[in-house]
Amino acid sequence: MIVIVPLRAALGLVATMLMSSLAIEACAQDSSPWQRDDHSAVRLLAGSRSGGVLLGGIAFQLQPGWKTYWRTPGDSGVPPRFDFSKSENVEAVTVLWPAPMKFDDGAGGTSLGYKTQIVLPLRIVAKNADKPVTLRAEISYAVCEKLCIPVEARTELAFTSVASTEDSALFAALDTVPKPANVGDSNPLTIRDVRRDGKSSVLVDVVAPDAREVSLFVEGPTPDWALPVPKLLEGGPPGVKRFGFELDGLPPGAKPEGAALKLTLVGGDRAYEFNVNLN
């Protein structure tokens, strides 16, 4: 039996197949292959190419019950580490961190990180905006259920697309990165006051909508500061959620006076970062 297909229909079929092929090719170009281990997977994402500052991302997938860590892991855990030094035509890469969640570390403490899946946005500065950019990443991270397992991955991706298929995922990830803020801002969710309470304690007063669950995280001026996760205290002033933490985990020789701390405040779908100097 011979089937005769009208020329217009045939051309339409060819065009559809061509567009589908191009879409698959574009998708492949905008993300690197998944690098998988037994409990997780990681890959690079490329945003649209325009000028010398590019948007990229590192995407993680985690099996149910498994987690990985924020840049500051909390009471226990291992923060991810990234090496982009083998990239081509890349001046600098800045990793942007979505707000973390808290979870029990299994030893009576609190760890900070991510479950299920997460995209860490990357701000990439090209050495020459007119030349090709290839990002190469060596990624070291830990995945944990009851025990932690170290993972090493290597991946690379060329930034070629004028309009990337990953733009929506990257912009959604950017929306989860805490926004810069100042103590006393008029935002509905904000830090009202930060002060020392004696020699070894710090109190932080937070204003937030009453029904909103709020978390507060603190980091020291350098990664070797291991400050504890602030705890919500009882008996704060009306309309204020008061958090407190001890000045424990300072590196040898470090003094808290004048230290530059970073406070990350998370409530619902809002998150802000505050830079403060201790008195």
Side-chain angles (χ1 to χ4, degrees):
M1 179 179 179
I2 299 175
V3 178
I4 299 175
V5 180
L7 178 60
R8 179 175 296 179
L11 290 175
L13 178 61
V14 170
T16 300
M17 293 175 63
L18 179 60
M19 292 299 292
S20 177
S21 174
L22 290 174
I24 293 172
E25 181 180 357
C27 184
Q29 290 175 346
D30 296 335
S31 61
S32 66
W34 286 106
Q35 305 296 307
R36 299 186 182 276
D37 67 284
D38 290 340
H39 308 290
S40 67
V42 62
R43 68 175 177 175
L44 296 177
L45 306 179
S48 299
R49 178 85 195 258
S50 178
V53 180
L54 312 177
L55 178 62
I58 302 174
F60 292 89
Q61 285 185 346
L62 303 165
Q63 288 188 356
W66 291 77
K67 52 190 176 288
T68 193
Y69 292 98
W70 192 43
R71 64 183 180 228
T72 299
D75 295 328
S76 63
V78 181
R81 295 286 182 259
F82 310 104
D83 181 357
F84 304 104
S85 62
K86 295 182 174 64
S87 301
E88 294 182 16
N89 190 31
V90 171
E91 181 68 33
V93 180
T94 302
V95 180
L96 306 176
W97 297 84
M101 65 178 64
K102 297 190 296 185
F103 37 78
D104 188 346
D105 68 358
T110 301
S111 291
L112 311 177
Y114 311 104
K115 297 180 179 180
T116 310
Q117 58 186 6
I118 191 68
V119 174
L120 307 183
L122 303 175
R123 182 181 182 273
I124 304 159
V125 180
K127 292 181 179 178
N128 188 326
D130 299 322
K131 292 185 177 181
V133 168
T134 298
L135 189 67
R136 295 190 177 95
E138 296 182 5
I139 304 170
S140 302
Y141 63 104
V143 290
C144 302
E145 189 186 35
K146 295 180 180 177
L147 297 175
C148 284
I149 299 173
V151 181
E152 301 284 338
R154 293 184 180 182
T155 186
E156 68 175 72
L157 182 61
F159 283 65
T160 58
S161 296
V162 175
S164 170
T165 58
E166 299 293 343
D167 279 347
S168 59
L170 291 170
F171 287 129
L174 275 178
D175 284 341
T176 67
V177 175
K179 308 297 187 292
N182 296 309
V183 173
D185 279 351
S186 59
N187 297 323
L189 176 69
T190 190
I191 292 177
R192 175 184 289 178
D193 185 41
V194 181
R195 68 182 185 279
R196 298 277 296 275
D197 183 28
K199 292 184 178 181
S200 61
S201 300
V202 177
L203 299 178
V204 182
D205 286 347
V206 170
V207 177
D210 291 339
R212 181 167 298 175
E213 183 177 348
V214 176
S215 297
L216 183 69
F217 313 120
V218 59
E219 300 168 82
T222 57
D224 54 351
W225 284 54
L227 296 171
V229 178
K231 295 182 179 180
L232 182 62
L233 306 177
E234 296 182 356
V240 169
K241 297 179 186 293
R242 175 165 289 174
F243 290 82
F245 63 92
E246 298 298 311
L247 291 168
D248 295 333
L250 277 63
K255 296 181 179 181
E257 289 76 15
L261 303 185
K262 179 181 291 184
L263 296 168
T264 300
L265 179 62
V266 182
D269 59 354
R270 298 173 183 266
Y272 299 97
E273 281 186 352
F274 301 79
N275 293 312
V276 299
N277 291 312
L278 283 181
N279 295 324

